[in-house]
Amino acid sequence: MTVSRVLRNRGDVSATTRERVLEAAKTLGYVPNKIAGALASQRVNLVGVIIPSFGNLVFPEVLAGISAGLEETGLQPVVGVTDYSPEKEETVLYEMLSWRPTGVIIAGLEHTDAARAMLENSAIPIVEIMDVDGAGIDSVVGISHQRAGRHMAEAILRAGYRKIGFLGTKMPDDHRARKRLAGFRAGLAEAGLTIADEEYYAGGSALAKGREMTETILARSPDLDFLYYSNDMIGSGGLLHCLDKGIDVPGQIGLAGFNGLPLLDGLPIKLATMDACRREIGIKAAEIIAGRPHSGVIGGELVELEPRLEPGDTIRKS
Amino acid sequence: MTVSRVLRNRGDVSATTRERVLEAAKTLGYVPNKIAGALASQRVNLVGVIIPSFGNLVFPEVLAGISAGLEETGLQPVVGVTDYSPEKEETVLYEMLSWRPTGVIIAGLEHTDAARAMLENSAIPIVEIMDVDGAGIDSVVGISHQRAGRHMAEAILRAGYRKIGFLGTKMPDDHRARKRLAGFRAGLAEAGLTIADEEYYAGGSALAKGREMTETILARSPDLDFLYYSNDMIGSGGLLHCLDKGIDVPGQIGLAGFNGLPLLDGLPIKLATMDACRREIGIKAAEIIAGRPHSGVIGGELVELEPRLEPGDTIRKS
DNA sequence: CTGAAAGCGCTAACAA
DNA sequence: TTGTTAGCGCTTTCAG
């Protein structure tokens, strides 16, 4: 009835009745039931967001971006966590789609067949984020981790390093880390080089882990002149280890990480890294979901952001 | 009809029809509509979670706990962000309640009157988290920041420090930081002391900020023998500054932060801190929401967790 | 064990 | 400008 019109600010209501309704609503403590509203209008102000984990600093930053991008749109994110498990992703996705959200933002391009089918059939905007190396379903916003790895390799070689070690996570389902490493290898290969030694770990990214691993790899391969880390946290741990041991960075050994965590500015010297554009990715993804109804875009957008190399102080000037 | 019974595993369906239904559902790519389901059954598998920000590391950790606690319950978190604004909290809350969630988890005990009224009238379990210093609406899970501050003051005094400086955020709506400071002041007052100098900043917690502030306060008050920081990030920045300048920590000057970020283990020496039990708070809050229907609890639970003092290496042994 | 029927609380179209 | 009327796609209850 009229009440509905008032509460939704749809025109054609006299100021008087409007007042009366608003007052009644307030005194009754009336809160509309969006479930019924959504059912009737076939519109839902929820956006499904699926990420692997809250533990990796990167995802909260993306969420912050999404949250900011959704700010004035009346859309709310619903977050699901997969723990890097494709099966769990499938479950969470099913759960979300059953709420008929306005759109879905999902990390990564790798999904089970069933998940992919659900996304394709959902008839809502889908934005796969973080990664552009592969085929997307609808829209894609991210960076090329492969090229990020390659560029880092090139920068390192340009600076004259030759005996290069890699330190990263063991996680087989972290496709982005895997692609970065592949790109890195490819970059080295062009100069006829391969990774001289590598060290893997499981578990969260942490300074202490980085220290440990660095100690291990340097004990085993003391002649390494560069260490490439799969993230800034372990990279910074490595940096601290080197400084502790009085190793000359970047002279004797160079270091680089990945992510561009602003968190860590303020270490004695600044770790070389590559910005993953986390926040921008979130904002852009949110905009695509929010904007789709307005713009008449049908096909998905592909937004490739450019990770900036931040040379810091741990790569020798070439 | 029968289909509904199959999909929800409610008994009384023959194996044969069951098979048929399941198969049909699969080939049609059928995804049930929870909106309709929720409307009909008056049950919603969503839990509203309201936090001030994703930017402060603390909240993603709480979310991780909530996410873990909700894991096997079939409940999904819906996250809303307030940016530390009470008005925005009110809006977000209204939005959430209109989805008739199973429960609401909300950070802090301070809300606008309207928000408080909504929570009280919602007739669903409400868990206010992070803080127990004040009156809760229903359940409360957190630590006493006041006592955390006081305990830190006591530990510092016990170690023999006397000229104590405080460095923290300016944010007037960060009630927990404010309470910590109040408790800290009270602890000092018992020994007839006051804070000798203080320095405030706005903006995210970051190492670099901590360095800067520490330099500033020490330039102004070179005779300080202890610095208490409102969080571990700026505290660690301060620590790095002191190490850089060759200041003897904890001999000449002691340092302490707050939060117990495991992230930062691995710094040259370990900052004294107090664990805020972030993850446990999330888990416990989730359990309360999830468990309420089972247990016949009516009144709210009050769960006060005990922040552990982690003395690290930056407080002189007393 | 299975089918039929009556809503859940709204919105959208139409009539008044 | 306002009131009336059908549903939205399920769950629930009650017969068969």
Side-chain angles (χ1 to χ4, degrees), chain A residues 2-308:
Chain A
T2 325
V3 176
S4 172
R5 282 190 268 257
V6 174
L7 267 2
R8 285 179 300 144
N9 292 316
R10 299 300 220 83
D12 298 351
V13 243
S14 73
T16 354
T17 32
R18 189 192 174 73
E19 284 305 307
R20 282 202 304 135
V21 172
L22 251 28
E23 192 190 310
K26 177 156 282 182
T27 59
L28 294 177
Y30 172 78
V31 177
N33 186 329
K34 289 227 178 194
I35 301 174
L39 182 58
S41 69
Q42 311 283 13
R43 251 168 302 147
V44 179
N45 70 336
L46 298 176
V47 176
V49 180
I50 300 183
I51 58 172
S53 145
F54 277 113
N56 187 334
L57 218 31
V58 168
F59 297 107
E61 288 198 58
V62 174
L63 283 178
I66 292 175
S67 187
L70 254 29
E71 182 82 75
E72 302 281 292
T73 66
L75 295 170
Q76 281 282 324
V78 183
V79 182
V81 170
T82 70
D83 288 323
Y84 290 96
S85 145
E87 292 71 35
K88 202 159 167 207
E89 178 181 276
E90 198 177 308
T91 315
V92 168
L93 180 61
Y94 182 79
E95 188 69 18
M96 294 214 149
L97 288 179
S98 69
W99 280 101
R100 305 289 188 268
T102 294
V104 168
I105 299 175
I106 185 166
L109 296 165
E110 285 71 20
H111 317 289
T112 64
D113 288 344
R116 175 173 291 273
M118 282 192 262
L119 289 169
E120 279 165 352
N121 297 328
S122 65
I124 55 174
I126 305 296
V127 184
E128 293 167 281
I129 57 171
M130 313 301 287
D131 187 4
V132 302
D133 296 323
I137 292 169
D138 180 8
S139 293
V140 176
V141 180
I143 64 171
S144 164
H145 287 264
Q146 211 151 299
R147 288 183 33 219
R150 171 184 292 260
H151 284 164
M152 187 54 92
E154 288 164 0
I156 292 169
L157 294 173
R158 218 179 304 126
Y161 298 101
R162 287 296 175 272
K163 297 277 295 179
I164 298 161
F166 176 82
L167 300 91
T169 90
K170 211 176 306 202
M171 213 163 288
D173 283 311
D174 187 342
H175 301 283
R176 292 174 287 285
R178 201 198 64 223
K179 289 172 184 175
R180 237 145 46 220
L181 177 53
F184 188 70
R185 285 213 156 94
L188 295 186
E190 276 187 4
L193 287 178
T194 56
I195 288 175
D197 194 2
E198 38 206 295
E199 177 73 18
Y200 294 90
Y201 79 109
S205 52
L207 288 180
K209 237 1 185 190
R211 288 186 97 108
E212 246 173 65
M213 294 169 73
T214 306
E215 181 153 27
T216 308
I217 201 172
L218 287 181
R220 190 170 56 218
S221 308
D223 56 337
L224 291 175
D225 66 359
F226 200 95
L227 300 175
Y228 180 42
Y229 296 86
S230 77
N231 68 62
D232 280 355
M233 284 306 292
I234 59 171
S236 298
L239 170 56
L240 290 170
H241 171 82
C242 291
L243 294 180
D244 254 21
K245 296 293 175 198
I247 297 171
D248 167 26
V249 177
Q252 181 183 344
I253 200 163
L255 303 171
F258 181 82
N259 263 340
L261 291 188
L263 212 66
L264 296 170
D265 288 0
L267 287 180
I269 67 178
K270 199 165 163 356
L271 182 68
T273 187
M274 209 163 234
D275 181 28
C277 311
R278 304 166 302 283
R279 198 183 158 82
E280 296 91 316
I281 288 176
I283 293 179
K284 191 64 199 163
E287 283 174 357
I288 291 179
I289 299 286
R292 187 61 68 82
H294 305 301
S295 72
V297 186
I298 300 293
E301 290 181 57
L302 169 59
V303 181
E304 176 169 353
L305 300 175
E306 205 49 56
R308 292 173 293 282

Side-chain angles (χ1 to χ4, degrees), chain B residues 20 112 124 201 211 276 296 306:
Chain B
R20 281 202 305 136
T112 63
I124 55 173
Y201 78 110
R211 288 186 97 109
E306 205 48 58

